[in-house]
Amino acid sequence: MTDIVIDRQAAIDEPLLPTLEQLTQWVGCVFSHHPDDEREELTIRFVDEEESQTLNRDYRGKDKPTNVLSFPFENPPGITLPLLGDLIICHAVVAREADEQQKPLIQHYAHMVVHGTLHLMGYDHIDDQEAEEMEQLERQLLAELDIPDPYHI
């Protein structure tokens, strides 16, 4: 794996958003478990509830804001680019969830970035077995970042 390139976009004015350094650490932790994956570029965009709801409605058919949306990049035929995809993170939803779950905001952000990056790499949680595999990997990665089990509320 070469250097991680993150295009950090803040479409909201919010002082509590993760820094580029934090994002790079969290994404790097995921990448360290996928050394053969050569896609090292992604966009992480922080948005308001309106943008999150619009994207969630238009792309997932769910007309409400959500914590994180993952849009994997698909290379056009015959072209190989190092792009992994885009994560769209709604600060208001993440902050509300962190408060409801009584977790530090930065730890919940780390979980959302790890979770979303795994989605970009092809992991999913549609069925119970996939969900358990993905959640177990999330627990392992977050433990490496000294973050407690996010599913133990």
Side-chain angles (χ1 to χ4, degrees):
M1 177 63 55
T2 59
D3 291 330
I4 298 167
V5 177
I6 296 175
D7 178 11
R8 180 187 180 276
Q9 300 178 359
I12 55 173
D13 184 19
E14 172 54 58
L16 299 177
L17 298 179
T19 65
L20 180 58
E21 292 76 21
Q22 289 168 318
L23 297 172
T24 301
Q25 179 187 18
W26 302 335
V27 170
C29 185
V30 176
F31 283 7
S32 72
H33 286 260
H34 300 83
D36 295 333
D37 196 320
E38 296 181 1
R39 300 169 297 170
E40 71 271 353
E41 296 180 22
L42 69 152
T43 297
I44 300 177
R45 180 176 173 86
F46 298 98
V47 301
D48 61 17
E49 287 180 290
E50 182 180 350
E51 185 172 341
S52 175
Q53 182 168 344
T54 298
L55 291 168
N56 201 22
R57 181 192 63 230
D58 292 353
Y59 290 94
R60 296 182 64 229
K62 298 183 180 186
D63 195 13
K64 62 181 183 176
T66 189
N67 50 22
V68 61
L69 292 166
S70 303
F71 295 98
F73 177 75
E74 296 181 22
N75 282 310
I79 299 174
T80 302
L81 297 172
L83 303 176
L84 187 60
D86 300 336
L87 295 181
I88 309 298
I89 301 176
C90 180
H91 173 75
V93 174
V94 172
R96 189 167 43 250
E97 289 174 346
D99 185 55
E100 290 168 357
Q101 298 170 21
Q102 299 181 338
K103 297 177 181 176
L105 178 59
I106 201 66
Q107 289 183 3
H108 195 46
Y109 259 121
H111 179 210
M112 293 300 94
V113 170
V114 166
H115 182 86
T117 303
L118 288 172
H119 273 308
L120 293 178
M121 294 184 133
Y123 290 85
D124 216 330
H125 45 77
I126 293 172
D127 66 42
D128 289 345
Q129 182 177 347
E130 286 179 339
E132 182 53 40
E133 288 174 16
M134 186 172 177
E135 288 173 11
Q136 187 54 42
L137 183 53
E138 288 173 37
R139 287 182 187 98
Q140 178 184 349
L141 294 169
L142 292 168
E144 291 176 17
L145 295 166
D146 295 320
I147 296 173
D149 181 350
Y151 295 104
H152 182 46
I153 299 173

